[in-house]
Amino acid sequence: MQHIIRAMALIFVVAIFAMHSSTVSAEPKEGDWASGWNTWKDSTVGDWIEYSISGVAGIRQDVTAVKGDDITYTHKMLDKVGEVTNSKEYTKAWNKIKMQSKLPYGDAMEVTWTEVVVDFGAEKLNCDLAEWDQGKGNDAAKTQVYFCKNVSCGGIVKVATNGKDIVWMTGFAKAGAKVEGDPTTGQAPVKSKLPRFFASVDNKAVVKISGAGRDDMYQLRTVTDVAEEITKWTAVVCDSEGAADPKARLLEFEQTKEAWDKDYGKPAETGVTLKLDAGEFVCDVFKSTAEDGREITEWVSEGLSVKKIVKAKGKETTIEVVSYTMK
């Protein structure tokens, strides 16, 4: 039954996006969401907001004119890749523009309000969270709506059912300040404490491993998951262009903030420029001797190991970046 409730909630939200008619007639108190106040009242030309609907569709609203209480805006429907599928222009009084969700009224459902902070891009949004239950027993579903006074075009940040986001804001601009989040999840990008290469999913590097008396080999290294203090990454044998060998074993690794600070906290040199075929890098240089006697010199730029030389028993192995992508 829960999946039916969630589906109905999604249908309800989509229907609200498509409708534009009067919702509030009383004079609401500023900042009082329950009375019908919302940030459409403070619209300025250039304000906009975008939402994802369960990651399969979306909407965008752009303010194009403001005259008294009347707001002229475009309402665009988007597909899952952000392409516009429909666009219409409306002029409505600010308190008659349909919101992404509406609060229950009367005594039928009790709404609980709390103050929460939502991380969004580089911003921390101070939100008012409204929660109420629909249905009873096993069929009960909790609706959650997050409001923020600093968000344009209404102020709704996201709508959830039983903790599962149904509609979430992916970006907005208010008074010329643009803020963006993750369009896939609606959550802010994780602020990793690791250096740049380990801070974003899909950062990649192709390295060449060479040594005397053996053929060169190549390895593709890819960041797969990023949390605040730990990053997961993989390595697999590939060709010189980075195409993985389908028969090769995929190796999985973790890089923690604690281990990074221990291994790379004290460089022997800093600000060293290193020119390679992959580009020019400004590096920290690390020198160490392993327990087995190997002498290691490594050049690291923004977390990316761009070159590493390992000397052992008169032999030398070089690992060097030949291409990379880094957000």
Side-chain angles (χ1 to χ4, degrees):
M1 185 68 180
Q2 294 290 344
H3 73 280
I4 296 176
I5 293 172
R6 287 194 293 269
M8 289 301 293
L10 176 58
I11 292 170
F12 170 74
V13 171
V14 173
I16 284 202
F17 282 149
M19 294 168 60
H20 293 264
S21 61
S22 176
T23 57
V24 180
S25 56
E27 280 294 327
K29 179 182 177 181
E30 183 170 352
D32 183 4
W33 308 101
S35 69
W37 181 88
N38 64 73
T39 64
W40 280 110
K41 185 177 189 300
D42 301 324
S43 291
T44 58
V45 174
D47 288 357
W48 59 264
I49 197 162
E50 283 190 5
Y51 292 95
S52 177
I53 307 173
S54 294
V56 299
I59 69 160
R60 177 179 173 114
Q61 293 171 314
D62 291 79
V63 177
T64 58
V66 178
K67 187 176 181 180
D69 285 343
D70 290 337
I71 313 297
T72 300
Y73 63 100
T74 58
H75 178 91
K76 300 175 182 177
M77 298 298 298
L78 312 174
D79 63 19
K80 62 181 180 181
V81 297
E83 296 294 328
V84 177
T85 59
N86 183 269
S87 178
K88 292 184 179 180
E89 184 175 82
Y90 299 89
T91 298
K92 300 280 185 181
W94 70 267
N95 60 349
K96 295 184 179 180
I97 298 174
K98 278 288 185 179
M99 298 282 283
Q100 289 77 359
S101 181
K102 63 180 180 180
L103 297 167
Y105 58 90
D107 299 326
M109 299 178 193
E110 181 179 353
V111 178
T112 301
W113 291 89
T114 54
E115 295 181 359
V116 298
V117 176
V118 175
D119 289 329
F120 189 82
E123 301 287 327
K124 288 187 177 295
L125 302 179
N126 295 314
C127 296
D128 296 311
L129 171 60
E131 300 179 279
W132 66 92
D133 293 323
Q134 300 184 70
K136 296 181 179 180
N138 294 333
D139 295 337
K142 182 177 290 294
T143 297
Q144 299 170 304
V145 183
Y146 295 73
F147 299 88
C148 179
K149 297 175 184 177
N150 295 325
V151 169
S152 57
C153 303
I156 289 182
V157 174
K158 63 179 178 177
V159 181
T161 299
N162 290 338
K164 180 179 176 61
D165 293 347
I166 297 174
V167 178
W168 55 85
M169 181 176 68
T170 58
F172 71 96
K174 185 173 178 62
K178 178 181 178 182
V179 184
E180 292 185 318
D182 187 330
T184 303
T185 65
Q187 305 302 312
V190 173
K191 294 182 179 180
S192 173
K193 293 184 178 180
L194 285 160
R196 182 182 172 192
F197 180 73
F198 292 104
S200 296
V201 172
D202 285 335
N203 281 351
K204 302 177 188 291
V206 177
V207 300
K208 179 174 71 173
I209 305 171
S210 57
R214 65 181 183 186
D215 294 335
D216 294 343
M217 67 173 290
Y218 296 86
Q219 187 183 73
L220 172 65
R221 301 174 177 181
T222 306
V223 174
T224 58
D225 186 69
V226 174
E228 187 176 17
E229 296 198 6
I230 186 170
T231 289
K232 296 180 180 180
W233 61 281
T234 61
V236 65
V237 173
C238 65
D239 63 19
S240 61
E241 301 298 320
D245 182 347
K247 297 181 180 179
R249 179 186 175 191
L250 183 71
L251 304 176
E252 298 180 332
F253 301 91
E254 290 185 347
Q255 179 64 63
T256 66
K257 176 68 163 55
E258 182 181 9
W260 181 269
D261 290 345
K262 179 181 178 181
D263 296 337
Y264 296 96
K266 297 179 179 180
E269 299 177 74
T270 61
V272 176
T273 300
L274 183 65
K275 293 183 179 180
L276 303 174
D277 290 342
E280 183 174 299
F281 303 89
V282 177
C283 304
D284 291 333
V285 182
F286 300 86
K287 298 180 180 181
S288 62
T289 301
E291 292 181 358
D292 58 7
R294 291 177 300 148
E295 296 179 357
I296 303 169
T297 303
E298 186 175 10
W299 290 259
V300 177
S301 178
E302 297 184 292
L304 175 62
S305 178
V306 297
K307 187 173 183 177
K308 188 174 186 178
I309 296 176
V310 181
K311 296 180 180 179
K313 298 179 180 180
K315 296 183 179 180
E316 185 174 294
T317 299
T318 300
I319 305 170
E320 181 178 308
V321 166
V322 296
S323 64
Y324 70 98
T325 58
M326 186 160 54
K327 299 176 183 177

